[in-house]
Amino acid sequence: MDKSYIIGSLYKQIYRNEINGYLVALFKIKETNTDYEDNIINITGVLPKLSDKKEYILYGDLVTHPKYGLQFSVTSFDINLPTKEEELVTFLSSDLFPIGIKTAQKIVDTFHEGTIDKILANKDCLQLIPRLNESKINKIYDTLKDYQNTSNVVLELTKLGFDMKEALSFLNKYESKILTTVKDDIYTLIDTDEIPFAKIDEIAINMGIEEDDERRVKALIIHVMKELCFMKGDTYLTLEEISLSLSSYVTISPEKLEYLLQKLITEQKIIIKDKRYYLKKFYDAEIYIAERLCYLNDMPITSHINIEKYIDNSKIKYDDIQKKAIQSGVNNNITIITGGPGTGKTTIIRAITQIITEENKLKSSDIALLAPTGRAAKKMMENSGFPASTIHKYLGWDKDANTFSVDEYSPKSEKYIIVDEVSMIDTLLMEALLKGTKRSAKLILVGDYYQLPSVSEGQILKDLIDSDCLPVIRLSQIYRQTEGSYILNLAYDIKEKNISEDLFIKKDDYLFINGDNDTSLGIIKEVIERAVKKGYTDRDMQVLAPMYKSVNGIDNLNIILQEIFNPPSDRKKEIHYKDVTYRECDKVLQLVNDPDNNVYNGDIGYIEDIIISPEKKITTQININYDGNIVEYTPDKFINFRHGYAISIHKAQGSEFNTVVMPITPSFKRMLYNKLVYTGVTRAKKSLILVGDPNSFIYGINNDYVDNRKTTLKDLILSRYNN
């Protein structure tokens, strides 16, 4: 054995995720080739259910966790079956088997070191042993078979092409049925969303499944529907879209496609209504959202708070529209408040929370302030003075299972739910939020109608407002405007498509610098270098871009900006991961929600420490500081973050930055559209610098294509009130 290993048995299980099999446990060591000297060690990794009665060989590495100390990170395992005669006697006389030491000795004396292989080959050989009845023979055989099966299943799955982690995850989910599942229809594994379709498809083809096999084509239909919905933000598709996308994988007749679609309907995987083709989860979600919101809207209004006494005593002067928003928020069962930057949305949230708390003698636990991202929730909390949370954290999201512990069967008890940045909320998250709150809770939804829709499927805020059936307050007057400020005026000019010379004239807080595909990167580099000489840091400035690739894209920008903001130094450790160099003090962006560590998609942090194993000279951990929250990443989690000197405009939603620098070049043209440009511009609080081509800027302002998402929520609400 060249790999590091430990041999022994389970001592105590500390934590186990039943969905993916991730285990934290104490392990009793019998033998090891590592330098570890104690006989008990912490182990972590994806493993099947371990027994304290079985002996295992665990392969992996000794790692030092800054909080939990030295532990063994398991990458693979074997069940250790004894071969020496004295070990076999001890093994067979353990309480795993229905025999004592004398009978065990007789078995080993009869079959010697080949005992286990001979029993597994033919259990009837045990009839040679006196006073061993059929029941005991079957028990001995079944126990040994169980030992053998666990290892064999994992071995068979890895032979097919699954890696060890995937094999163990499927073994935990399907247990001994996994090989039968793979043999009967490997494509059922796509339902778990754990492994990319392409990998399952490649393994299936290698197993001999034909390209037009019914099982494959049904899976392909689901796959292309998922891909198209996510790519376009749609919640339903047309038959033509499905057929065209499917044709890039396989050629089938329209008749066969129709037949397979009907089978998928029978299997309750898709829904077809009025020539609209839905994945069932999106159809069910839109139905549920419409029903819940209309139910709230139709409930009798029981709250009649007079806000005037609070407004009159306030130092803030509210206009009539703002008063209307506050009045509706504190009394109506559902209120939607929309407006651009500077129109007072945050001020209204603060007023609503203060009034309902004081008037109704509510505790802070009676009100939930929520937002889709960690940064938006933090901003909400700072501005309102009330605790705020991400929606995922509020609902108890389990990232491994992709489920929420808070649902319609165990909803939260808050009386008021106030949600900010609603334009970012997708269909499935909105459904989960409504299921996780009691039906009588008053709902206040706040957001900017003109911002980008959610990254995932749906356009919740737009559909609710466009239905014109629910109470909507539209804020238009700009209040957060300092003398000499132009950024907010620019944002509203973009929204209204007001093209004028002002778009390119220098202002106190705004600058447009002409550049093309070849020169813009150099201009941005010069702008940042000058800012750094004046004392600005990457905490003061944020570069935003529409896409990752191209010479002026996010990937290339991050390389340039890292060299300016955080150049190499003997005082800073650094590592190379894939094609990226990370070093201490780097600015990074979190890419996935991780409620366990209170860090969320879009959060920005800084690398505080890179821990490198002195023996193997490999990186074992990166610690990232998110505003005082230290999150520890092992190498398998490095994929969860990337450099954050330049980020996408989508990732910047819900955030504000003192200075924003944004390239708008011809190479981005296919990605430039009104809401994207508007959202990027409105991220800047104090200063905005645009670098690029005036014609590309004008094109982006005039391009409305993002408004074409296909959703049903608006129609469902309308049909409820028009019938």
Side-chain angles (χ1 to χ4, degrees):
M1 296 180 187
D2 295 325
K3 296 188 289 186
S4 294
Y5 70 86
I6 54 177
I7 300 175
S9 57
L10 178 70
Y11 181 73
K12 181 182 179 183
Q13 179 174 299
I14 297 172
Y15 166 79
R16 178 179 169 79
N17 184 305
E18 294 300 334
I19 302 297
N20 66 2
Y22 181 77
L23 177 73
V24 179
L26 294 175
F27 193 79
K28 190 172 184 179
I29 299 175
K30 176 182 174 182
E31 178 188 331
T32 180
N33 66 349
T34 69
D35 296 331
Y36 192 76
E37 295 179 353
D38 293 341
N39 64 343
I40 301 289
I41 190 170
N42 272 303
I43 62 168
T44 62
V46 176
L47 287 159
K49 291 179 181 178
L50 299 186
S51 168
D52 58 359
K53 298 179 177 66
K54 294 182 182 180
E55 195 168 277
Y56 303 88
I57 307 175
L58 305 183
Y59 301 96
D61 294 292
L62 278 175
V63 298
T64 302
H65 192 284
K67 187 173 181 180
Y68 302 110
L70 201 63
Q71 54 187 218
F72 195 78
S73 177
V74 182
T75 55
S76 61
F77 83 104
D78 280 324
I79 294 178
N80 196 35
L81 287 172
T83 55
K84 294 179 181 178
E85 292 192 16
E86 61 271 23
E87 292 176 342
L88 284 165
V89 172
T90 302
F91 176 59
L92 290 172
S93 60
S94 70
D95 54 8
L96 281 171
F97 298 92
I99 56 176
I101 192 166
K102 289 183 179 179
T103 305
Q105 187 68 59
K106 288 176 183 175
I107 294 172
V108 175
D109 287 345
T110 303
F111 302 115
H112 306 289
E113 292 185 355
T115 293
I116 290 175
D117 290 338
K118 288 177 180 176
I119 294 171
L120 286 170
N122 180 12
K123 65 180 179 180
D124 291 338
C125 70
L126 289 172
Q127 291 178 1
L128 296 172
I129 309 302
R131 292 187 295 279
L132 202 56
N133 61 37
E134 187 175 355
S135 174
K136 289 182 178 181
I137 289 173
N138 287 335
K139 175 66 175 174
I140 293 169
Y141 175 79
D142 291 342
T143 301
L144 290 174
K145 195 70 178 172
D146 177 58
Y147 251 87
Q148 185 187 54
N149 281 348
T150 303
S151 295
N152 285 353
V153 167
V154 172
L155 182 62
E156 287 300 313
L157 290 173
T158 53
K159 281 181 180 177
L160 288 173
F162 296 105
D163 64 32
M164 178 64 71
K165 188 174 181 180
E166 292 162 349
L168 287 167
S169 181
F170 284 135
L171 177 62
N172 282 300
K173 190 180 297 289
Y174 293 92
E175 296 181 333
S176 59
K177 298 176 185 175
I178 180 60
L179 290 179
T180 304
T181 301
V182 168
K183 182 179 178 182
D184 291 346
D185 187 358
I186 188 174
Y187 289 103
T188 59
L189 300 183
I190 70 169
D191 295 338
T192 66
D193 287 326
E194 289 181 27
I195 298 178
F197 174 85
K199 181 165 186 176
I200 292 175
D201 194 40
E202 180 184 1
I203 292 171
I205 297 296
N206 289 337
M207 288 170 63
I209 291 179
E210 298 292 334
E211 286 196 350
D212 61 351
D213 185 287
E214 181 177 302
R215 296 166 296 180
R216 179 174 189 260
V217 180
K218 283 197 303 178
L220 277 169
I221 292 169
I222 298 298
H223 172 64
V224 300
M225 289 182 72
K226 287 179 180 177
E227 291 279 296
L228 288 170
C229 285
F230 181 77
M231 182 175 63
K232 298 183 175 187
D234 297 338
T235 57
Y236 73 86
L237 303 164
T238 65
L239 179 60
E240 290 74 22
E241 287 175 306
I242 297 169
S243 179
L244 180 62
S245 186
L246 194 63
S247 66
S248 64
Y249 291 92
V250 65
T251 302
I252 60 168
S253 66
E255 292 77 18
K256 184 171 182 180
L257 175 57
E258 178 62 31
Y259 163 73
L260 294 177
L261 287 168
Q262 290 301 320
K263 291 203 76 170
L264 289 169
I265 293 172
T266 303
E267 294 169 10
Q268 296 193 323
K269 291 187 175 179
I270 67 170
I271 303 286
I272 304 176
K273 292 280 186 182
D274 302 322
K275 296 184 179 179
R276 296 174 174 181
Y277 291 72
Y278 302 82
L279 289 166
K280 189 174 184 297
K281 63 181 179 180
F282 294 128
Y283 179 83
D284 290 345
E286 288 191 319
I287 292 285
Y288 185 84
I289 294 167
E291 185 276 323
R292 273 294 303 275
L293 296 184
C294 291
Y295 169 83
L296 263 181
N297 193 44
D298 295 341
M299 278 176 56
I301 294 174
T302 56
S303 179
H304 302 284
I305 299 172
N306 182 357
I307 68 166
E308 292 301 328
K309 63 178 179 179
Y310 298 100
I311 297 298
D312 293 343
N313 293 331
S314 173
K315 295 178 182 178
I316 300 170
K317 298 302 177 186
Y318 300 95
D319 67 23
D320 290 342
I321 297 297
Q322 289 177 320
K323 289 179 182 178
K324 185 178 178 184
I326 297 168
Q327 182 78 31
S328 178
V330 299
N331 289 315
N332 282 357
N333 298 314
I334 179 170
T335 298
I336 300 168
I337 301 169
T338 185
T343 55
K345 296 190 299 296
T346 301
T347 303
I348 288 167
I349 290 174
R350 183 166 60 241
I352 290 171
T353 53
Q354 289 172 346
I355 291 171
I356 59 179
T357 303
E358 198 170 327
E359 179 75 18
N360 297 330
K361 304 294 187 289
L362 298 179
K363 304 186 291 293
S364 60
S365 58
D366 292 321
I367 307 167
L369 267 61
L370 306 173
T373 68
R375 292 177 71 85
K378 184 180 179 185
K379 186 173 73 171
M380 201 179 184
M381 182 165 57
E382 290 170 346
N383 292 329
S384 69
F386 280 76
S389 166
T390 64
I391 297 170
H392 282 83
K393 185 175 182 180
Y394 175 75
L395 296 176
W397 185 59
D398 183 330
K399 67 178 183 293
D400 296 315
N402 194 24
T403 57
F404 296 99
S405 61
V406 177
D407 55 24
E408 65 267 47
Y409 305 110
S410 56
K412 291 278 196 173
S413 60
E414 284 85 356
K415 298 174 182 177
Y416 285 83
I417 311 295
I418 304 175
V419 190
D420 199 6
E421 299 289 356
V422 176
S423 63
M424 298 174 67
I425 298 177
D426 61 71
T427 299
L428 296 182
L429 184 57
M430 188 66 183
E431 178 195 30
L433 174 60
L434 293 175
K435 284 183 173 180
T437 55
K438 63 181 184 179
R439 291 180 71 84
S440 60
K442 295 181 185 296
L443 188 63
I444 299 149
L445 303 176
V446 183
D448 186 345
Y449 178 91
Y450 291 96
Q451 268 197 43
L452 290 171
S454 57
V455 173
S456 296
E457 300 83 357
Q459 48 185 9
I460 295 295
L461 184 64
K462 183 178 188 302
D463 281 348
L464 298 184
I465 292 173
D466 287 352
S467 74
D468 206 24
C469 295
L470 305 171
V472 177
I473 313 299
R474 294 173 172 85
L475 308 172
S476 56
Q477 182 66 40
I478 303 174
Y479 290 93
R480 198 186 71 212
Q481 182 91 1
T482 57
E483 192 171 342
S485 172
Y486 174 68
I487 295 172
L488 293 183
N489 287 333
L490 173 63
Y492 285 93
D493 282 345
I494 291 169
K495 185 181 79 173
E496 301 297 333
K497 299 178 188 171
N498 181 18
I499 309 295
S500 69
E501 285 299 316
D502 264 4
L503 293 175
F504 307 104
I505 297 174
K506 184 181 183 300
K507 308 292 191 304
D508 289 343
D509 60 348
Y510 170 70
L511 178 63
F512 189 99
I513 306 175
N514 278 283
D516 55 28
N517 288 333
D518 298 324
T519 61
S520 291
L521 187 67
I523 294 169
I524 291 173
K525 182 180 179 183
E526 186 179 344
V527 165
I528 299 296
E529 286 174 337
R530 286 185 179 183
V532 169
K533 285 180 182 177
K534 291 180 180 179
Y536 288 88
T537 71
D538 53 16
R539 295 176 187 268
D540 305 308
M541 310 185 73
Q542 184 60 58
V543 178
L544 305 179
M547 56 193 288
Y548 287 91
K549 302 305 177 186
S550 87
V551 67
N552 299 299
I554 294 164
D555 292 340
N556 213 25
L557 282 165
N558 270 318
I559 295 170
I560 300 297
L561 296 172
Q562 183 194 35
E563 291 302 300
I564 299 172
F565 285 120
N566 191 30
S569 166
D570 292 338
R571 298 189 304 273
K572 298 173 187 172
K573 295 193 287 289
E574 64 178 44
I575 64 126
H576 302 284
Y577 174 70
K578 296 187 176 179
D579 56 348
V580 179
T581 298
Y582 290 110
R583 66 178 59 100
E584 290 171 337
C585 301
D586 265 344
K587 184 179 188 177
V588 293
L589 175 77
Q590 174 74 6
L591 301 176
V592 298
N593 290 321
D594 184 0
D596 292 342
N597 288 302
N598 196 29
V599 60
Y600 295 86
N601 184 1
D603 285 355
I604 290 175
Y606 289 84
I607 294 179
E608 190 162 278
D609 193 15
I610 295 176
I611 299 171
I612 299 174
S613 166
E615 300 87 12
K616 299 187 179 181
K617 296 184 179 178
I618 59 169
T619 301
T620 58
Q621 191 168 299
I622 294 178
N623 295 341
I624 300 177
N625 188 333
Y626 296 93
D627 293 327
N629 175 31
I630 309 296
V631 180
E632 300 155 352
Y633 297 81
T634 49
D636 60 318
K637 298 292 192 299
F638 291 174
I639 195 172
N640 291 350
F641 62 84
R642 62 181 299 139
H643 277 130
Y645 301 104
I647 66 175
S648 71
I649 296 169
H650 272 97
K651 293 287 187 186
Q653 276 190 274
S655 302
E656 288 182 325
F657 309 97
N658 285 336
T659 298
V660 166
V661 180
M662 192 162 71
I664 302 183
T665 60
S667 61
F668 294 149
K669 196 167 183 179
R670 66 185 181 86
M671 288 291 293
L672 293 174
Y673 51 92
N674 186 275
K675 285 191 175 182
L676 185 95
V677 176
Y678 171 84
T679 301
V681 165
T682 54
R683 300 309 92 202
K685 284 202 297 186
K686 296 181 179 178
S687 178
L688 173 68
I689 301 169
L690 302 182
V691 178
D693 169 40
N695 290 328
S696 297
F697 188 30
I698 292 169
Y699 172 85
I701 292 170
N702 286 323
N703 183 10
D704 273 334
Y705 95 94
V706 76
D707 292 331
N708 297 328
R709 287 190 173 190
K710 297 194 296 296
T711 61
T712 325
L713 183 57
K714 171 188 166 183
D715 294 343
L716 289 168
I717 294 171
L718 280 168
S719 65
R720 175 144 179 156
Y721 289 106
N722 290 340
N723 288 340

